[in-house]
Amino acid sequence: MAITDFFAGEIATELLKQLFTISTTAWRYKNTAKQLLTLIDSIRPTIKEIQYSGVELPAHRQAQIGMLFDTLEKGKKLTDKVLSSKRWNLYRQLTLARKMEKLEKTISNFLKNEVFTHILADVHHLRADTSVRLDRVDMSLDRVIQQVGSMKIGGGGLISEAMKRAEAMEIETNDDSEKFGVGLELGKVKVKKMMFESQGGVFGISGMGGVGKTTLAKELQRDHEVQCHFENRILFLTVSQSPLLEELRELIWGFLSGCEAGNPVPDCNFPFDGARKLVILDDVWTTQALDRLTSFKFPGCTTLVVSRSKLTEPKFTYDVEVLSEDEAISLFCLCAFGQKSIPLGFCKDLVKQVANECKGLPLALKVTGASLNGKPEMYWKGVLQRLSKGEPADNSHESRLLRQMEASLDNLDQTTKDCFLDLGAFPEDRKIPLDVLINIWIELHDIDEGNAFAILVDLSHKNLLTLGKDPRLGSLYASHYDIFVTQHDVLRDLALHLSNAGKVNRRKRLLMPKRELKLPGDWERNNDEHYIAQIVSIHTGEMNDMQWFDMEFPKAEILILNFSSDKYVLPPFISKMSRLKVLVIINNGMSHAVLHDFSIFAHLSKLRSLWLERVHVPQLSNSTTPLKNLHKMSLILCKINKSFDQTGLDVADIFPKLGDLTIDHCDDLVALPPSICGLTSLSCLSITNCPRLGELPKNLSKLQALEILRLYACPELKTLPGEICELPGLKYLDISQCVSLSCLPEEIGKLKKLEKIDMRECCFSDRPSSAVSLKSLRHVICDTDVAFMWEEVEKAVPGLKIEAAEKCFSLDWLDE
């Protein structure tokens, strides 16, 4: 609904007329009517300005104005009743008088808490502020006002900033400015060092929404050292999501050049005049906008870009960190109690638990703390329970925090946004296996692995998730099963909030926000109707037959089972998931879990990816029901229990299309069973971090489709069978950290398609002479002391890179 629709019929004007009549004729309502006249008349200019702008406001602004419209409309109806009421009906007169007082209180509170009473004041403030910053520029105040006035609501940076500031006014005022210095000192030092050590250039402040980027930028603007360094030549502009770039370019041009720009602003270079100047561009959303605003070539000009995305070079970007626990408690207490510490007599554990739910995010701490100001301890307990489930603490918390965080998703295409929402399916405070995430995206959104990885990087650059720093990440033959991503819990709460809208049966994602002893009650109350969810994520403890209830998921493609127990009965409704493509079973307990009722796998005819973690893998036999479409199987931290080693077992019949097999951190694997060599469709075999693996089967040559063979971190593996050299399609061989290996097979030169060998931390004394025949080889990674052995091969194979790597043995997996 457009803004002009809200005020059709001039309701405010009509209401004012009737209130004037009441104030002069109806003595019972005289004082209340006069107060209402003053209130409504004070906002009429704002209403007029918005009404005649001819621009449609964003949805959340329309909703706020809609609330005021409804109140005014009720007031109009009430005044109609007052004017038509009979003087002799005293009861009705008293009733209407109370309603008039209630109306006055409602409108008064609304105007105190909402945006209208602050918009114009903030606009005037920004105009004056801009005038002061441009005092060295030959640009009149009238022209600045004209520039501001031309920026339409919802499109221009200054008006947009005014509205954002107005929305946060209740928790961010001049009276409590000390709240905004908490945790910023380190950031100020780092950013100042970057800027001061350079003669100019483009620098960045990056971070997720609500982490305090803009606050840091404003602190830098007010910092005495910064003001001295740039001799108070500082321009602060808010760009916004839909900027008027040419108007902003004019402002920047005038500030830098000291003269008015023509239209269009010229692109030209200027000699350095010895004057250092700082331009701070806040709330920049795209590289295109940044490039347009920084196209001027002014020596000595420093540009500081504040953005949710990483738009500047990493070495010139400061990533704002969340607050430490002590800083978080101080900021939270300031907003909740007006002091930096927990008041005497108040439950300390309760305060810390609620504050910890904010995970050090300043915006979350401010909003949550302000919403609890003056509330009793029992109210705090209710808030804690809601927060722990990923639910808003109250309506204010939802509108101020989650909706502001949701703005981070505005520039995402639908597929990328869906991929972000999928992250809500994983438990809080846990690393997410990258391989699981990419498998889900591939199967659910019909994208290939390359596109899935591109989306991952895009979400990371926008600070919507955190990629672990791993040198293998992004390389062509990198493994993903031991690389992880993490996400701030407030972002996870946002994903849950958006995914959990609407009736539980109608949700695309059916997610349990936290670990519970049983399934949520509302799932059971609604199980008389089928669920349309495509992703189902369940997080419990031990589950037995009696704890499951019947549910139907005719559209489910992804099922994630997270639990903590040494025994677990699989849910019976799996057998009805006829469309299931990805099954992830993760035991977060300390001991390996025994899974019961594996017979239900017989119905999973479309299953393509299976991830088992910290469980006992059931023994396979020729009577095991084939998983005819299974393409990828990962066994992580599992007990293999000789599952593949039954006499006469035909593994190829059970997994006829298996192309990718991973066995990682399985400490009871002593020898790779020969039955695996029957998987002739296998293109990738990864047997890694298995400390007791001593030998490989002799018939590896049967794996004619194999392209990738990873055997790293198997310290007991002493030899590689010569049959490896009979793999015609092998492109990548990883034997790094196999410290007992002393040599490569003599006929390795027969691997005509081999492109890369990783042999770090292998105690080799020589290399096979046939290695000079590896004409496709382009990259060898080895220790510094054995790099010389490849010099002859380097001469014989054009373009070959010999990389002498540092020792990289990692025990990060122990933290899982």
Side-chain angles (χ1 to χ4, degrees), residues 484-524:
F484 303 89
V485 302
T486 56
Q487 185 179 45
H488 193 282
D489 278 357
V490 173
L491 287 171
R492 178 178 180 268
D493 289 346
L494 174 62
L496 289 170
H497 175 67
L498 296 176
S499 297
N500 290 344
K503 186 180 177 181
V504 65
N505 300 77
R506 302 291 93 191
R507 295 173 187 168
K508 183 178 179 180
R509 300 168 184 84
L510 190 65
L511 314 175
M512 288 181 62
K514 67 170 188 174
R515 180 178 178 270
E516 298 185 36
L517 297 177
K518 59 181 182 179
L519 297 184
D522 60 337
W523 291 17
E524 185 172 13

Side-chain angles (χ1 to χ4, degrees), residues 225-250:
E225 282 187 280
V226 174
Q227 291 176 345
C228 291
H229 183 81
F230 293 102
E231 299 179 1
N232 284 319
R233 300 184 182 96
I234 302 173
L235 174 65
F236 191 110
L237 291 175
T238 300
V239 178
S240 83
Q241 286 179 266
S242 303
L244 298 175
L245 291 177
E246 294 312 311
E247 284 85 346
L248 292 172
R249 276 170 56 82
E250 277 194 72

Side-chain angles (χ1 to χ4, degrees), residues 126-168:
L126 285 168
R127 286 172 177 165
D129 197 23
T130 302
S131 176
V132 170
R133 292 179 187 137
L134 298 177
D135 59 355
R136 296 177 180 270
V137 182
D138 185 18
M139 183 181 293
S140 68
L141 180 59
D142 290 339
R143 185 169 178 277
V144 176
I145 295 175
Q146 182 181 0
Q147 288 284 346
V148 176
S150 68
M151 295 183 182
K152 295 181 179 180
I153 296 176
L158 297 177
I159 295 290
S160 176
E161 170 67 5
M163 297 177 82
K164 282 191 288 185
R165 289 183 56 189
E167 185 175 2

Side-chain angles (χ1 to χ4, degrees), residues 194-204 229-230 233-237 249 251-258 268-281 290 293-305:
M194 283 195 305
M195 295 192 301
F196 291 174
E197 290 180 350
S198 172
Q199 293 299 317
V202 181
F203 302 89
H229 183 81
F230 293 102
R233 300 184 182 96
I234 302 173
L235 174 65
F236 191 110
L237 291 175
R249 276 170 56 82
L251 290 172
I252 297 171
W253 172 271
F255 170 72
L256 295 177
S257 66
C268 56
N269 298 336
F270 277 74
F272 182 46
D273 60 2
R276 290 189 291 260
K277 298 180 180 181
L278 173 63
V279 177
I280 302 176
L281 301 176
L290 177 60
L293 296 175
T294 56
S295 61
F296 308 116
K297 305 299 179 184
F298 281 92
C301 171
T302 297
T303 303
L304 184 60
V305 181

Side-chain angles (χ1 to χ4, degrees), residues 540-548 561 563 565-572 574 593-598 600:
T540 64
E542 177 183 330
M543 294 292 283
N544 57 43
D545 291 311
M546 301 301 295
Q547 290 172 299
W548 295 111
L561 301 174
F563 62 93
S565 176
D566 58 1
K567 55 184 177 179
Y568 188 81
V569 174
L570 293 170
I574 291 182
V594 176
L595 299 179
H596 297 277
D597 203 9
F598 250 96
I600 58 178

